[in-house]
């Protein structure tokens, strides 16, 4: 489980800000048999760097299993501290090629998450040539962009206190036209449709991928619980080998939590908002 949010330091419930709570939360996750990762800001400014340094120290002291990093400057901070905690490069680190991944590996990263536009075939090459672990997004909204200024506010942010923040991003906001839909979380833009590689899990396992991500940030507790349960069961079956078929209840859960439809086109070198497959291809409404 990844604690915190890469989008906004001020959002309510951000464990990457509540450093005094990290030891307790990490301990509870470990007691439940789960790994605890802590994310860092995706677009840190100069004023954020002292906090990032404190966050690295706090995550290390709390026993976090890794830091999720989106910025080479933050990776440098971790390296200069003697790499006290493993570094995983996140969705906004701009990992498109094995050359970029190798630079990050040499700077201390042990895992990279390629950008959403990178196909599964390219990911396999990247993992082989860069010699670094690759994380694959198998379900959830695709991160498409990030900024350090909130799109939801009509007035400049008050650095001290603003009653509209963080309440504005506690609601669901869609950006729509007649042809497409995106989701905004204030400082981040996500796909409207959910990435879904459920019926392709046997291929991912056969291709040697071992790290899979279900993105649940800015989703409901039911989404995280039910979709997570689907992928735990489905991945266990995929790793067991033999026949693999998508259960109706898995498909129902995927459809239930994707009101704007499903997609996976980027993974197969086609348009990102399309869905490649047969089992869930009818799950896309006309948006």
């Amino acid at each position: 489980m990844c604690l915190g949010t890469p989008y906004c330091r001020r959002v309510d419930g951000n464990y990457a800000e509540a450093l005094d709570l990290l030891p307790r939360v990490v301990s509870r996750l470990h007691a439940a048999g789960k790994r605890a990762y802590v994310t860092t800001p995706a677009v840190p400014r100069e004023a954020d760097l002292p906090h990032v340094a404190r966050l690295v120290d706090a995550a290390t002291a709390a026993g976090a299993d890794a830091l999720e990093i989106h910025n080479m400057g933050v990776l440098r901070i971790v390296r200069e501290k003697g790499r006290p905690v493993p570094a995983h490069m996140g969705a906004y680190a701009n990992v498109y090629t094995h050359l970029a991944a190798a630079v990050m590996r040499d700077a201390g990263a042990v895992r990279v998450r390629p950008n959403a536009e990178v196909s599964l075939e390219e990911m396999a090459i990247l993992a082989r040539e860069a010699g670094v672990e690759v994380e694959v997004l198998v379900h959830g909204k695709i991160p498409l962009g990030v900024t350090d200024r909130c799109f939801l506010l009509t007035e400049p942010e008050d650095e001290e206190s603003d009653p509209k923040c963080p309440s504005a991003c506690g609601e669901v906001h869609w950006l729509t036209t007649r042809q497409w839909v995106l989701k905004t979380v204030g400082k981040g833009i996500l796909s409207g449709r959910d990435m879904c590689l459920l019926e392709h899990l046997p291929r991912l396992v056969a291709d040697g991928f071992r790290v899979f991500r279900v993105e649940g940030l800015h989703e409901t507790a039911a989404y995280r619980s039910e979709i997570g349960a689907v992928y735990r069961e489905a991945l266990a079956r995929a790793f067991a080998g033999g026949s693999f078929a998508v259960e109706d209840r898995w498909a129902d859960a995927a459809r239930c939590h994707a009101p704007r439809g499903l997609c996976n086109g980027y993974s197969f070198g086609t348009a990102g908002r399309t869905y490649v497959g047969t089992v869930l291809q009818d799950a896309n409404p006309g948006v």
Side-chain angles (χ1 to χ4, degrees), residues 77-155:
I77 290 175
V78 175
R79 182 185 64 190
E80 291 180 346
K81 286 180 173 290
R83 302 177 183 178
V85 61
H88 296 172
M89 303 309 293
Y92 294 111
N94 291 324
V95 181
Y96 285 96
T97 68
H98 74 278
L99 296 176
V103 169
M104 296 173 189
R105 178 204 64 202
D106 293 344
V110 299
R111 178 185 297 179
V112 299
R113 178 180 174 182
N115 277 54
E117 301 94 327
V118 178
S119 69
L120 297 180
E121 183 177 353
E122 291 174 307
M123 286 188 196
I125 296 172
L126 189 153
R128 182 177 68 249
E129 298 297 329
V132 67
E133 192 172 57
V134 169
E135 177 181 295
V136 181
L137 174 66
V138 291
H139 202 98
K141 302 291 188 299
I142 300 172
L144 298 175
V146 64
T147 177
D148 74 332
R149 290 291 180 258
C150 185
F151 183 74
L152 298 178
L153 300 181
T154 57
E155 300 175 3

Side-chain angles (χ1 to χ4, degrees), residues 183-198:
K183 182 177 181 180
T184 176
V185 292
K187 296 184 178 180
I189 300 296
L190 314 176
S191 63
R193 295 181 175 184
D194 279 18
M195 161 71 83
C196 179
L197 289 173
L198 183 58

Side-chain angles (χ1 to χ4, degrees), residues 4 9 18 21 35 40 49-50 66-67 82 84 89 120 136 141 162 172 181 205 220 222 228 243 263 266 269 277:
R9 289 188 56 190
L21 298 181
R35 292 186 176 92
T40 60
L49 297 182
L67 280 171
M89 303 309 293
L120 297 180
V136 181
K141 302 291 188 299
D162 189 328
V172 178
V181 59
V205 172
T220 64
S243 61
C263 67
Y266 284 143

Side-chain angles (χ1 to χ4, degrees), residues 124-253:
I125 296 172
L126 189 153
R128 182 177 68 249
E129 298 297 329
V132 67
E133 192 172 57
V134 169
E135 177 181 295
V136 181
L137 174 66
V138 291
H139 202 98
K141 302 291 188 299
I142 300 172
L144 298 175
V146 64
T147 177
D148 74 332
R149 290 291 180 258
C150 185
F151 183 74
L152 298 178
L153 300 181
T154 57
E155 300 175 3
E157 288 185 45
D158 184 335
E159 295 298 330
E160 298 299 325
S161 176
D162 189 328
K164 299 182 294 299
C165 180
S167 60
C169 58
E171 305 167 355
V172 178
H173 300 272
W174 300 100
L175 305 175
T176 62
T177 72
R178 296 177 60 184
Q179 300 298 322
W180 50 259
V181 59
L182 301 175
K183 182 177 181 180
T184 176
V185 292
K187 296 184 178 180
I189 300 296
L190 314 176
S191 63
R193 295 181 175 184
D194 279 18
M195 161 71 83
C196 179
L197 289 173
L198 183 58
E199 64 179 290
H200 301 285
L201 294 183
R203 170 187 169 169
L204 297 179
V205 172
D207 285 348
F209 295 110
R210 294 295 181 267
V211 181
F212 308 102
R213 185 185 188 102
V214 173
E215 186 61 79
L217 188 61
H218 291 279
E219 302 289 359
T220 64
Y223 181 108
R224 294 191 292 269
S225 176
E226 294 171 18
I227 296 297
V230 164
Y231 277 86
R232 278 194 298 272
E233 186 175 344
L235 281 167
R237 188 171 301 177
F239 275 106
S243 61
F244 180 93
V246 174
E247 299 279 352
D248 288 343
R249 52 194 170 83
W250 299 349
D252 290 344

